[in-house]
Amino acid sequence: MNNTTANANVGRQVQLPLRKAFEISLKSIRIRFWRSMITAGGIMLGIAFLASVLSTALVQAQMPDAAMDAKALQAAQNRQTWLVIMSLLVCTVGITNSMLMSVTERYKEIGTMKCLGALDSFVVELFILESGLLGVIASFIGWFIGAGMILLLAMSSHGAAIVAKIGFLPILGTLGISMVVGVGLTMIATIAPAIRAAKMPPAMALRAEI
Amino acid sequence: MSANEYVVRTKDVAKEFIMGDQVLRALDGVQLDIRRGEYISIMGPSGSGKSTLFNMVGGLDKPTEGSVFINDVDMAQLDAHELAYLRCRTIGYIFQTFNLIPVMTALENCTLPMIFAGTPTEEANEKGIALLKMVGLGERLFHKPTELSGGQQQRVAIARSFANDPAIILADEPTGNLDLKTGKEIITLLKRLNKERGVTIISATHDLKMVDVSDRVVWIRDGKIERIEERADLDLKVGQMEGEE
């Protein structure tokens, strides 16, 4: 019997609609609420720090600080760049660790899903959606705390006018940067372990002891 | 069609695992034909290659040499989409550790394979409820796995394995994590479904209670088939074993 006739009675598994994957991911987060919140907490702190540094820069730009010469300004900016890079590094390590753990502890679940007919791409999709959702929520809260704190402080020492002076758009800009960085980092940290788990033969995923 | 008499055929199946710099030959030239509608038990001590053979037959792992045919289709020829299709519709899996998805209710666990198969939600729910009733869990539809006993979890897993009306049910030590009485109930349930639905049941086990209901028993030792016993030979043996208990 040749292959074409042999395969005639085996169809091809269809890709599930995104809505289904979204439903399952949301459920996963809801059930593991506290665990998810701790993961989200790490992302949130990193993004809060980033947002506070960005907002501080905005506030400082509005200061009529004649005393500060160009050289000192340059030094302050360098220090800030350094701080942002450090905060992002810490954030990335934390997020990668959390997502790696959340994937490895679910190898068995992944193996089971594959036995039930899930495609590799569906498994990856599931984890990326889950981490993306966490990333969106955590980044927003992080931004709210970080930027909010700095702006409140600025308002208390320089009056509410300072916020009006900075303007709505630059503040929105810090939100944009925080979201892109937070969600981006979370998803990147998930992709590698999720692909690794999805590609395993189900027998190996089921056997995996964590 | 004579070719259709066998639902699973393995041809010189061998599997090697690489452990450091050693090569471990877990299966060595296994030739096994499984008839449609048969209740077959694969028995053997741990480390005999029993689970490895089981994984090959179920398309959960690929053999190093030889081929496995399911419904005359060579598993090695299938791509990822076709393999997923086969696992979804042709084979139902039952595990020693139940392997229910912990975040889902009994009903959701049961409908998951149907959702993977693209069944509309309403239809899947209806069928899921019917399947859970079939295994005697009509009252436990919305319980999470952690709220169910081991025996109940295994019943959900059995209901789930029947979701897409598979031709084959693969049960890996289905009674391994259950007490004697619950184990017996699960075996009786499997046998009943085997008879009622004409589904082929392949089970890897070292539970001697399984011998009782099997049409054939395949004994594996050191990666090879030691002997295959038919129903007629078995009746005598079971009598002896029960005497020993």
Side-chain angles (χ1 to χ4, degrees), chain A residues 3 6-7 9 11-13 16 27 31-32 108 112 114-119 122 201-203 206, chain B residues 55 60 73 77-79 81-82 84-85 87-88 93 95 97 99 101 103 108 115-116 121 144 160:
Chain A
N3 290 329
N7 288 354
N9 54 353
R12 297 176 65 79
Q13 189 75 316
L16 275 182
K27 210 175 279 166
I31 295 288
R32 282 176 250 262
K108 208 162 126 183
T112 309
K114 283 189 72 175
C115 284
L116 301 180
L119 289 168
F122 181 76
L206 289 172
Chain B
N55 287 337
L60 300 181
V73 177
Q77 305 291 336
L78 301 180
D79 67 17
H81 283 75
E82 290 165 332
Y85 184 94
R87 288 189 195 123
C88 187
Y93 300 90
F95 306 95
T97 48
N99 290 19
I101 309 292
V103 300
E108 285 167 338
I115 286 167
F116 285 145
T121 314
K144 294 265 162 56
R160 180 177 69 180

mmCIF file of all heavy atoms in Angstrom, chain A residues 3 6-7 9 11-13 16 27 31-32 108 112 114-119 122 201-203 206, chain B residues 55 60 73 77-79 81-82 84-85 87-88 93 95 97 99 101 103 108 115-116 121 144 160:
data_model
loop_
_atom_site.group_PDB
_atom_site.id
_atom_site.type_symbol
_atom_site.label_atom_id
_atom_site.label_comp_id
_atom_site.label_asym_id
_atom_site.label_seq_id
_atom_site.Cartn_x
_atom_site.Cartn_y
_atom_site.Cartn_z
ATOM 1 N N ASN A 3 1.767 5.463 0.164
ATOM 2 C CA ASN A 3 1.461 6.448 1.203
ATOM 3 C C ASN A 3 0.201 7.266 0.953
ATOM 4 O O ASN A 3 -0.518 7.581 1.880
ATOM 5 C CB ASN A 3 2.632 7.412 1.367
ATOM 6 C CG ASN A 3 3.789 6.696 2.000
ATOM 7 O OD1 ASN A 3 3.577 5.775 2.777
ATOM 8 N ND2 ASN A 3 4.986 7.111 1.666
ATOM 9 N N ALA A 6 -2.622 5.299 1.939
ATOM 10 C CA ALA A 6 -2.539 4.995 3.364
ATOM 11 C C ALA A 6 -3.007 6.173 4.212
ATOM 12 O O ALA A 6 -3.643 5.992 5.237
ATOM 13 C CB ALA A 6 -1.113 4.633 3.744
ATOM 14 N N ASN A 7 -2.687 7.372 3.748
ATOM 15 C CA ASN A 7 -3.026 8.538 4.557
ATOM 16 C C ASN A 7 -4.408 9.088 4.259
ATOM 17 O O ASN A 7 -4.844 10.058 4.859
ATOM 18 C CB ASN A 7 -1.995 9.649 4.340
ATOM 19 C CG ASN A 7 -0.685 9.282 4.995
ATOM 20 O OD1 ASN A 7 -0.619 8.269 5.683
ATOM 21 N ND2 ASN A 7 0.330 10.098 4.777
ATOM 22 N N ASN A 9 -7.293 8.133 4.998
ATOM 23 C CA ASN A 9 -8.291 8.154 6.069
ATOM 24 C C ASN A 9 -7.823 8.919 7.315
ATOM 25 O O ASN A 9 -8.436 8.845 8.361
ATOM 26 C CB ASN A 9 -8.743 6.738 6.430
ATOM 27 C CG ASN A 9 -7.575 5.845 6.762
ATOM 28 O OD1 ASN A 9 -6.433 6.253 6.590
ATOM 29 N ND2 ASN A 9 -7.853 4.651 7.258
ATOM 30 N N GLY A 11 -7.253 12.696 8.508
ATOM 31 C CA GLY A 11 -7.405 14.101 8.131
ATOM 32 C C GLY A 11 -6.320 14.934 8.766
ATOM 33 O O GLY A 11 -5.390 14.408 9.361
ATOM 34 N N ARG A 12 -6.448 16.234 8.614
ATOM 35 C CA ARG A 12 -5.484 17.143 9.244
ATOM 36 C C ARG A 12 -6.185 17.907 10.351
ATOM 37 O O ARG A 12 -7.272 18.405 10.169
ATOM 38 C CB ARG A 12 -4.909 18.104 8.207
ATOM 39 C CG ARG A 12 -4.121 17.395 7.126
ATOM 40 C CD ARG A 12 -3.670 18.384 6.070
ATOM 41 N NE ARG A 12 -2.737 19.340 6.622
ATOM 42 C CZ ARG A 12 -1.444 19.071 6.837
ATOM 43 N NH1 ARG A 12 -0.962 17.882 6.550
ATOM 44 N NH2 ARG A 12 -0.643 19.974 7.339
ATOM 45 N N GLN A 13 -5.516 17.963 11.500
ATOM 46 C CA GLN A 13 -6.116 18.667 12.627
ATOM 47 C C GLN A 13 -6.202 20.154 12.325
ATOM 48 O O GLN A 13 -5.278 20.738 11.777
ATOM 49 C CB GLN A 13 -5.258 18.419 13.871
ATOM 50 C CG GLN A 13 -5.885 18.910 15.143
ATOM 51 C CD GLN A 13 -7.014 18.014 15.614
ATOM 52 O OE1 GLN A 13 -7.845 17.582 14.830
ATOM 53 N NE2 GLN A 13 -7.067 17.734 16.881
ATOM 54 N N LEU A 16 -7.365 25.776 16.230
ATOM 55 C CA LEU A 16 -8.525 26.287 16.952
ATOM 56 C C LEU A 16 -8.612 27.809 16.820
ATOM 57 O O LEU A 16 -7.608 28.477 16.674
ATOM 58 C CB LEU A 16 -8.385 25.952 18.436
ATOM 59 C CG LEU A 16 -8.867 24.590 18.880
ATOM 60 C CD1 LEU A 16 -8.700 24.470 20.383
ATOM 61 C CD2 LEU A 16 -10.312 24.377 18.516
ATOM 62 N N LYS A 27 -8.850 31.381 31.937
ATOM 63 C CA LYS A 27 -9.243 30.449 32.997
ATOM 64 C C LYS A 27 -8.019 30.038 33.806
ATOM 65 O O LYS A 27 -8.064 29.967 35.028
ATOM 66 C CB LYS A 27 -9.881 29.222 32.345
ATOM 67 C CG LYS A 27 -10.911 28.564 33.219
ATOM 68 C CD LYS A 27 -11.588 27.445 32.482
ATOM 69 C CE LYS A 27 -12.675 27.934 31.559
ATOM 70 N NZ LYS A 27 -13.120 26.914 30.614
ATOM 71 N N ILE A 31 -7.706 30.651 37.837
ATOM 72 C CA ILE A 31 -7.604 29.549 38.795
ATOM 73 C C ILE A 31 -6.335 29.672 39.626
ATOM 74 O O ILE A 31 -6.345 29.491 40.830
ATOM 75 C CB ILE A 31 -7.613 28.203 38.042
ATOM 76 C CG1 ILE A 31 -8.961 28.018 37.361
ATOM 77 C CG2 ILE A 31 -7.297 27.057 38.967
ATOM 78 C CD1 ILE A 31 -10.101 27.718 38.282
ATOM 79 N N ARG A 32 -5.232 29.973 38.940
ATOM 80 C CA ARG A 32 -3.961 30.128 39.661
ATOM 81 C C ARG A 32 -3.801 31.581 40.053
ATOM 82 O O ARG A 32 -2.761 32.180 39.798
ATOM 83 C CB ARG A 32 -2.812 29.736 38.744
ATOM 84 C CG ARG A 32 -2.626 28.266 38.592
ATOM 85 C CD ARG A 32 -1.541 28.014 37.584
ATOM 86 N NE ARG A 32 -2.104 27.464 36.383
ATOM 87 C CZ ARG A 32 -2.126 26.173 36.106
ATOM 88 N NH1 ARG A 32 -1.570 25.339 36.919
ATOM 89 N NH2 ARG A 32 -2.675 25.739 35.010
ATOM 90 N N LYS A 108 3.287 18.242 32.200
ATOM 91 C CA LYS A 108 2.342 17.133 32.149
ATOM 92 C C LYS A 108 1.034 17.562 31.487
ATOM 93 O O LYS A 108 0.467 16.833 30.680
ATOM 94 C CB LYS A 108 2.070 16.635 33.568
ATOM 95 C CG LYS A 108 1.700 15.182 33.597
ATOM 96 C CD LYS A 108 1.876 14.623 34.967
ATOM 97 C CE LYS A 108 0.619 13.969 35.432
ATOM 98 N NZ LYS A 108 0.723 13.473 36.794
ATOM 99 N N THR A 112 -0.553 16.062 28.138
ATOM 100 C CA THR A 112 -1.932 15.595 28.098
ATOM 101 C C THR A 112 -2.695 16.270 26.966
ATOM 102 O O THR A 112 -3.384 15.612 26.184
ATOM 103 C CB THR A 112 -2.636 15.896 29.430
ATOM 104 O OG1 THR A 112 -1.831 15.412 30.494
ATOM 105 C CG2 THR A 112 -4.001 15.240 29.487
ATOM 106 N N LYS A 114 -1.558 17.459 24.284
ATOM 107 C CA LYS A 114 -1.119 16.944 22.984
ATOM 108 C C LYS A 114 -1.735 15.573 22.714
ATOM 109 O O LYS A 114 -2.077 15.260 21.589
ATOM 110 C CB LYS A 114 0.404 16.893 22.920
ATOM 111 C CG LYS A 114 0.991 18.271 22.698
ATOM 112 C CD LYS A 114 2.464 18.219 22.415
ATOM 113 C CE LYS A 114 2.735 17.663 21.042
ATOM 114 N NZ LYS A 114 4.168 17.721 20.712
ATOM 115 N N CYS A 115 -1.875 14.760 23.767
ATOM 116 C CA CYS A 115 -2.527 13.457 23.602
ATOM 117 C C CYS A 115 -3.973 13.625 23.165
ATOM 118 O O CYS A 115 -4.513 12.797 22.457
ATOM 119 C CB CYS A 115 -2.520 12.680 24.917
ATOM 120 S SG CYS A 115 -0.931 11.984 25.297
ATOM 121 N N LEU A 116 -4.601 14.688 23.636
ATOM 122 C CA LEU A 116 -6.010 14.902 23.317
ATOM 123 C C LEU A 116 -6.186 15.565 21.960
ATOM 124 O O LEU A 116 -7.300 15.816 21.531
ATOM 125 C CB LEU A 116 -6.671 15.760 24.391
ATOM 126 C CG LEU A 116 -6.615 15.199 25.808
ATOM 127 C CD1 LEU A 116 -7.310 16.143 26.771
ATOM 128 C CD2 LEU A 116 -7.254 13.828 25.878
ATOM 129 N N GLY A 117 -5.072 15.865 21.295
ATOM 130 C CA GLY A 117 -5.175 16.378 19.935
ATOM 131 C C GLY A 117 -4.814 17.830 19.763
ATOM 132 O O GLY A 117 -5.156 18.431 18.750
ATOM 133 N N ALA A 118 -4.125 18.434 20.755
ATOM 134 C CA ALA A 118 -3.714 19.830 20.598
ATOM 135 C C ALA A 118 -2.494 19.899 19.692
ATOM 136 O O ALA A 118 -1.603 19.064 19.788
ATOM 137 C CB ALA A 118 -3.385 20.442 21.953
ATOM 138 N N LEU A 119 -2.477 20.890 18.806
ATOM 139 C CA LEU A 119 -1.309 21.096 17.958
ATOM 140 C C LEU A 119 -0.239 21.834 18.756
ATOM 141 O O LEU A 119 -0.558 22.570 19.691
ATOM 142 C CB LEU A 119 -1.696 21.942 16.744
ATOM 143 C CG LEU A 119 -2.563 21.256 15.706
ATOM 144 C CD1 LEU A 119 -3.108 22.278 14.731
ATOM 145 C CD2 LEU A 119 -1.771 20.193 14.967
ATOM 146 N N PHE A 122 -0.876 25.423 19.063
ATOM 147 C CA PHE A 122 -1.931 25.803 20.004
ATOM 148 C C PHE A 122 -1.369 25.925 21.412
ATOM 149 O O PHE A 122 -1.708 26.846 22.152
ATOM 150 C CB PHE A 122 -3.069 24.774 19.976
ATOM 151 C CG PHE A 122 -4.201 25.118 20.913
ATOM 152 C CD1 PHE A 122 -5.095 26.117 20.585
ATOM 153 C CD2 PHE A 122 -4.355 24.454 22.114
ATOM 154 C CE1 PHE A 122 -6.129 26.449 21.437
ATOM 155 C CE2 PHE A 122 -5.384 24.786 22.987
ATOM 156 C CZ PHE A 122 -6.280 25.786 22.636
ATOM 157 N N PRO A 201 7.978 15.134 22.350
ATOM 158 C CA PRO A 201 6.996 14.080 22.127
ATOM 159 C C PRO A 201 6.158 13.941 23.407
ATOM 160 O O PRO A 201 6.712 14.077 24.498
ATOM 161 C CB PRO A 201 7.839 12.820 21.915
ATOM 162 C CG PRO A 201 9.243 13.268 21.800
ATOM 163 C CD PRO A 201 9.349 14.645 22.345
ATOM 164 N N PRO A 202 4.846 13.704 23.272
ATOM 165 C CA PRO A 202 3.996 13.666 24.465
ATOM 166 C C PRO A 202 4.527 12.704 25.532
ATOM 167 O O PRO A 202 4.417 12.986 26.715
ATOM 168 C CB PRO A 202 2.654 13.187 23.933
ATOM 169 C CG PRO A 202 2.672 13.478 22.497
ATOM 170 C CD PRO A 202 4.080 13.521 22.038
ATOM 171 N N ALA A 203 5.100 11.577 25.098
ATOM 172 C CA ALA A 203 5.584 10.600 26.069
ATOM 173 C C ALA A 203 6.609 11.233 27.001
ATOM 174 O O ALA A 203 6.611 10.986 28.205
ATOM 175 C CB ALA A 203 6.197 9.403 25.352
ATOM 176 N N LEU A 206 5.014 13.822 29.390
ATOM 177 C CA LEU A 206 4.238 13.169 30.447
ATOM 178 C C LEU A 206 5.159 12.590 31.513
ATOM 179 O O LEU A 206 4.802 12.518 32.679
ATOM 180 C CB LEU A 206 3.372 12.055 29.866
ATOM 181 C CG LEU A 206 2.204 12.505 29.026
ATOM 182 C CD1 LEU A 206 1.532 11.317 28.354
ATOM 183 C CD2 LEU A 206 1.204 13.256 29.873
ATOM 184 N N ASN B 55 3.720 3.440 24.403
ATOM 185 C CA ASN B 55 3.883 4.775 23.822
ATOM 186 C C ASN B 55 4.006 4.731 22.300
ATOM 187 O O ASN B 55 3.524 5.619 21.603
ATOM 188 C CB ASN B 55 5.111 5.468 24.411
ATOM 189 C CG ASN B 55 4.882 5.919 25.840
ATOM 190 O OD1 ASN B 55 3.740 6.105 26.250
ATOM 191 N ND2 ASN B 55 5.945 6.061 26.595
ATOM 192 N N LEU B 60 2.730 8.263 20.802
ATOM 193 C CA LEU B 60 3.245 9.259 21.740
ATOM 194 C C LEU B 60 4.753 9.402 21.608
ATOM 195 O O LEU B 60 5.362 10.301 22.154
ATOM 196 C CB LEU B 60 2.899 8.869 23.174
ATOM 197 C CG LEU B 60 1.410 8.742 23.484
ATOM 198 C CD1 LEU B 60 1.185 8.384 24.934
ATOM 199 C CD2 LEU B 60 0.710 10.044 23.165
ATOM 200 N N VAL B 73 -2.322 2.730 8.553
ATOM 201 C CA VAL B 73 -1.571 3.948 8.266
ATOM 202 C C VAL B 73 -0.257 3.887 9.032
ATOM 203 O O VAL B 73 -0.246 3.663 10.236
ATOM 204 C CB VAL B 73 -2.360 5.198 8.686
ATOM 205 C CG1 VAL B 73 -1.529 6.450 8.449
ATOM 206 C CG2 VAL B 73 -3.670 5.274 7.930
ATOM 207 N N GLN B 77 4.772 8.142 8.708
ATOM 208 C CA GLN B 77 4.521 8.963 7.513
ATOM 209 C C GLN B 77 3.702 10.199 7.818
ATOM 210 O O GLN B 77 3.506 11.043 6.944
ATOM 211 C CB GLN B 77 3.768 8.135 6.454
ATOM 212 C CG GLN B 77 4.432 6.843 6.054
ATOM 213 C CD GLN B 77 5.708 7.085 5.284
ATOM 214 O OE1 GLN B 77 5.879 8.128 4.675
ATOM 215 N NE2 GLN B 77 6.623 6.128 5.327
ATOM 216 N N LEU B 78 3.189 10.309 9.038
ATOM 217 C CA LEU B 78 2.266 11.398 9.333
ATOM 218 C C LEU B 78 3.013 12.657 9.761
ATOM 219 O O LEU B 78 4.013 12.581 10.467
ATOM 220 C CB LEU B 78 1.310 10.975 10.453
ATOM 221 C CG LEU B 78 0.455 9.734 10.178
ATOM 222 C CD1 LEU B 78 -0.440 9.448 11.366
ATOM 223 C CD2 LEU B 78 -0.371 9.904 8.926
ATOM 224 N N ASP B 79 2.520 13.803 9.335
ATOM 225 C CA ASP B 79 3.095 15.059 9.819
ATOM 226 C C ASP B 79 2.378 15.472 11.111
ATOM 227 O O ASP B 79 1.464 14.785 11.570
ATOM 228 C CB ASP B 79 3.023 16.151 8.743
ATOM 229 C CG ASP B 79 1.602 16.588 8.422
ATOM 230 O OD1 ASP B 79 0.690 16.302 9.220
ATOM 231 O OD2 ASP B 79 1.398 17.208 7.363
ATOM 232 N N HIS B 81 0.212 17.720 11.941
ATOM 233 C CA HIS B 81 -1.235 17.931 11.900
ATOM 234 C C HIS B 81 -1.994 16.617 11.831
ATOM 235 O O HIS B 81 -3.035 16.454 12.447
ATOM 236 C CB HIS B 81 -1.612 18.795 10.686
ATOM 237 C CG HIS B 81 -1.324 20.242 10.883
ATOM 238 N ND1 HIS B 81 -0.061 20.741 10.820
ATOM 239 C CD2 HIS B 81 -2.133 21.283 11.171
ATOM 240 C CE1 HIS B 81 -0.116 22.060 11.050
ATOM 241 N NE2 HIS B 81 -1.352 22.399 11.269
ATOM 242 N N GLU B 82 -1.453 15.678 11.042
ATOM 243 C CA GLU B 82 -2.130 14.388 10.911
ATOM 244 C C GLU B 82 -2.010 13.574 12.188
ATOM 245 O O GLU B 82 -2.935 12.872 12.593
ATOM 246 C CB GLU B 82 -1.539 13.616 9.723
ATOM 247 C CG GLU B 82 -1.901 14.246 8.397
ATOM 248 C CD GLU B 82 -1.059 13.731 7.238
ATOM 249 O OE1 GLU B 82 0.094 13.316 7.465
ATOM 250 O OE2 GLU B 82 -1.549 13.752 6.109
ATOM 251 N N ALA B 84 -1.747 14.809 15.220
ATOM 252 C CA ALA B 84 -2.667 15.408 16.196
ATOM 253 C C ALA B 84 -4.102 14.960 15.906
ATOM 254 O O ALA B 84 -4.868 14.667 16.820
ATOM 255 C CB ALA B 84 -2.564 16.932 16.161
ATOM 256 N N TYR B 85 -4.435 14.884 14.624
ATOM 257 C CA TYR B 85 -5.765 14.439 14.214
ATOM 258 C C TYR B 85 -6.027 13.014 14.694
ATOM 259 O O TYR B 85 -7.079 12.696 15.239
ATOM 260 C CB TYR B 85 -5.859 14.509 12.688
ATOM 261 C CG TYR B 85 -7.213 14.174 12.105
ATOM 262 C CD1 TYR B 85 -8.140 15.170 11.830
ATOM 263 C CD2 TYR B 85 -7.550 12.857 11.815
ATOM 264 C CE1 TYR B 85 -9.369 14.880 11.292
ATOM 265 C CE2 TYR B 85 -8.798 12.550 11.269
ATOM 266 C CZ TYR B 85 -9.700 13.563 11.012
ATOM 267 O OH TYR B 85 -10.915 13.262 10.481
ATOM 268 N N ARG B 87 -4.442 11.389 17.163
ATOM 269 C CA ARG B 87 -4.510 11.340 18.628
ATOM 270 C C ARG B 87 -5.852 11.855 19.113
ATOM 271 O O ARG B 87 -6.358 11.428 20.142
ATOM 272 C CB ARG B 87 -3.409 12.210 19.234
ATOM 273 C CG ARG B 87 -2.033 11.640 19.092
ATOM 274 C CD ARG B 87 -1.058 12.468 19.917
ATOM 275 N NE ARG B 87 0.317 12.177 19.554
ATOM 276 C CZ ARG B 87 1.193 13.096 19.133
ATOM 277 N NH1 ARG B 87 0.834 14.358 19.052
ATOM 278 N NH2 ARG B 87 2.417 12.749 18.840
ATOM 279 N N CYS B 88 -6.398 12.786 18.371
ATOM 280 C CA CYS B 88 -7.637 13.416 18.790
ATOM 281 C C CYS B 88 -8.837 12.505 18.543
ATOM 282 O O CYS B 88 -9.704 12.381 19.397
ATOM 283 C CB CYS B 88 -7.803 14.728 18.039
ATOM 284 S SG CYS B 88 -9.178 15.719 18.570
ATOM 285 N N TYR B 93 -6.894 8.226 25.344
ATOM 286 C CA TYR B 93 -5.847 7.884 26.303
ATOM 287 C C TYR B 93 -6.358 7.906 27.741
ATOM 288 O O TYR B 93 -7.090 8.816 28.132
ATOM 289 C CB TYR B 93 -4.682 8.862 26.201
ATOM 290 C CG TYR B 93 -4.031 8.891 24.842
ATOM 291 C CD1 TYR B 93 -4.481 9.754 23.864
ATOM 292 C CD2 TYR B 93 -2.983 8.028 24.542
ATOM 293 C CE1 TYR B 93 -3.897 9.781 22.609
ATOM 294 C CE2 TYR B 93 -2.390 8.060 23.291
ATOM 295 C CZ TYR B 93 -2.851 8.934 22.330
ATOM 296 O OH TYR B 93 -2.272 8.964 21.093
ATOM 297 N N PHE B 95 -4.591 7.470 31.648
ATOM 298 C CA PHE B 95 -3.278 7.414 32.278
ATOM 299 C C PHE B 95 -3.363 6.921 33.714
ATOM 300 O O PHE B 95 -4.401 7.025 34.353
ATOM 301 C CB PHE B 95 -2.634 8.797 32.283
ATOM 302 C CG PHE B 95 -2.566 9.435 30.927
ATOM 303 C CD1 PHE B 95 -3.558 10.312 30.509
ATOM 304 C CD2 PHE B 95 -1.531 9.140 30.067
ATOM 305 C CE1 PHE B 95 -3.506 10.892 29.254
ATOM 306 C CE2 PHE B 95 -1.464 9.721 28.816
ATOM 307 C CZ PHE B 95 -2.459 10.598 28.404
ATOM 308 N N THR B 97 -1.925 8.343 36.197
ATOM 309 C CA THR B 97 -2.104 9.491 37.099
ATOM 310 C C THR B 97 -3.282 10.368 36.668
ATOM 311 O O THR B 97 -3.330 11.542 37.001
ATOM 312 C CB THR B 97 -0.820 10.328 37.148
ATOM 313 O OG1 THR B 97 -0.380 10.554 35.798
ATOM 314 C CG2 THR B 97 0.283 9.616 37.885
ATOM 315 N N ASN B 99 -4.273 12.482 34.824
ATOM 316 C CA ASN B 99 -3.932 13.592 33.932
ATOM 317 C C ASN B 99 -5.119 14.425 33.480
ATOM 318 O O ASN B 99 -5.236 14.753 32.302
ATOM 319 C CB ASN B 99 -3.185 13.085 32.688
ATOM 320 C CG ASN B 99 -1.801 12.607 33.026
ATOM 321 O OD1 ASN B 99 -1.514 12.328 34.187
ATOM 322 N ND2 ASN B 99 -0.946 12.513 32.046
ATOM 323 N N ILE B 101 -6.930 18.047 33.373
ATOM 324 C CA ILE B 101 -6.401 19.412 33.446
ATOM 325 C C ILE B 101 -6.955 20.024 34.738
ATOM 326 O O ILE B 101 -8.166 20.152 34.897
ATOM 327 C CB ILE B 101 -6.846 20.247 32.225
ATOM 328 C CG1 ILE B 101 -6.556 19.511 30.911
ATOM 329 C CG2 ILE B 101 -6.203 21.625 32.246
ATOM 330 C CD1 ILE B 101 -5.128 19.339 30.544
ATOM 331 N N VAL B 103 -7.256 22.898 36.068
ATOM 332 C CA VAL B 103 -8.034 24.132 36.143
ATOM 333 C C VAL B 103 -9.426 23.987 35.533
ATOM 334 O O VAL B 103 -10.211 24.923 35.539
ATOM 335 C CB VAL B 103 -7.303 25.314 35.442
ATOM 336 C CG1 VAL B 103 -5.971 25.568 36.101
ATOM 337 C CG2 VAL B 103 -7.120 25.041 33.974
ATOM 338 N N GLU B 108 -15.642 20.176 31.491
ATOM 339 C CA GLU B 108 -14.706 20.848 30.588
ATOM 340 C C GLU B 108 -13.577 19.915 30.171
ATOM 341 O O GLU B 108 -13.146 19.920 29.016
ATOM 342 C CB GLU B 108 -14.124 22.101 31.259
ATOM 343 C CG GLU B 108 -15.102 23.249 31.301
ATOM 344 C CD GLU B 108 -14.663 24.363 32.234
ATOM 345 O OE1 GLU B 108 -13.855 24.109 33.155
ATOM 346 O OE2 GLU B 108 -15.139 25.477 32.059
ATOM 347 N N ILE B 115 -13.489 19.877 21.611
ATOM 348 C CA ILE B 115 -13.167 21.252 21.214
ATOM 349 C C ILE B 115 -11.966 21.251 20.276
ATOM 350 O O ILE B 115 -11.954 21.932 19.257
ATOM 351 C CB ILE B 115 -12.927 22.119 22.462
ATOM 352 C CG1 ILE B 115 -14.278 22.390 23.118
ATOM 353 C CG2 ILE B 115 -12.241 23.426 22.109
ATOM 354 C CD1 ILE B 115 -14.219 22.957 24.489
ATOM 355 N N PHE B 116 -10.968 20.400 20.598
ATOM 356 C CA PHE B 116 -9.809 20.274 19.707
ATOM 357 C C PHE B 116 -10.236 19.756 18.337
ATOM 358 O O PHE B 116 -9.605 20.039 17.329
ATOM 359 C CB PHE B 116 -8.754 19.338 20.303
ATOM 360 C CG PHE B 116 -7.967 19.962 21.426
ATOM 361 C CD1 PHE B 116 -7.540 19.189 22.501
ATOM 362 C CD2 PHE B 116 -7.645 21.300 21.420
ATOM 363 C CE1 PHE B 116 -6.810 19.758 23.540
ATOM 364 C CE2 PHE B 116 -6.926 21.882 22.450
ATOM 365 C CZ PHE B 116 -6.510 21.106 23.510
ATOM 366 N N THR B 121 -19.505 24.168 20.726
ATOM 367 C CA THR B 121 -19.532 24.062 22.182
ATOM 368 C C THR B 121 -20.787 23.364 22.704
ATOM 369 O O THR B 121 -20.702 22.505 23.581
ATOM 370 C CB THR B 121 -19.438 25.464 22.815
ATOM 371 O OG1 THR B 121 -18.404 26.170 22.144
ATOM 372 C CG2 THR B 121 -19.116 25.392 24.285
ATOM 373 N N LYS B 144 -14.174 20.223 40.151
ATOM 374 C CA LYS B 144 -12.785 20.253 39.680
ATOM 375 C C LYS B 144 -12.133 18.924 40.059
ATOM 376 O O LYS B 144 -12.561 18.273 41.019
ATOM 377 C CB LYS B 144 -12.033 21.389 40.372
ATOM 378 C CG LYS B 144 -12.540 22.762 40.002
ATOM 379 C CD LYS B 144 -11.732 23.356 38.863
ATOM 380 C CE LYS B 144 -12.470 24.486 38.192
ATOM 381 N NZ LYS B 144 -12.868 25.551 39.117
ATOM 382 N N ARG B 160 -13.548 11.133 29.101
ATOM 383 C CA ARG B 160 -12.810 11.999 28.184
ATOM 384 C C ARG B 160 -12.224 11.199 27.016
ATOM 385 O O ARG B 160 -12.233 11.644 25.876
ATOM 386 C CB ARG B 160 -11.682 12.708 28.939
ATOM 387 C CG ARG B 160 -10.855 13.638 28.077
ATOM 388 C CD ARG B 160 -9.798 14.363 28.865
ATOM 389 N NE ARG B 160 -8.745 13.446 29.328
ATOM 390 C CZ ARG B 160 -7.701 13.819 30.045
ATOM 391 N NH1 ARG B 160 -7.575 15.075 30.408
ATOM 392 N NH2 ARG B 160 -6.793 12.948 30.435
#
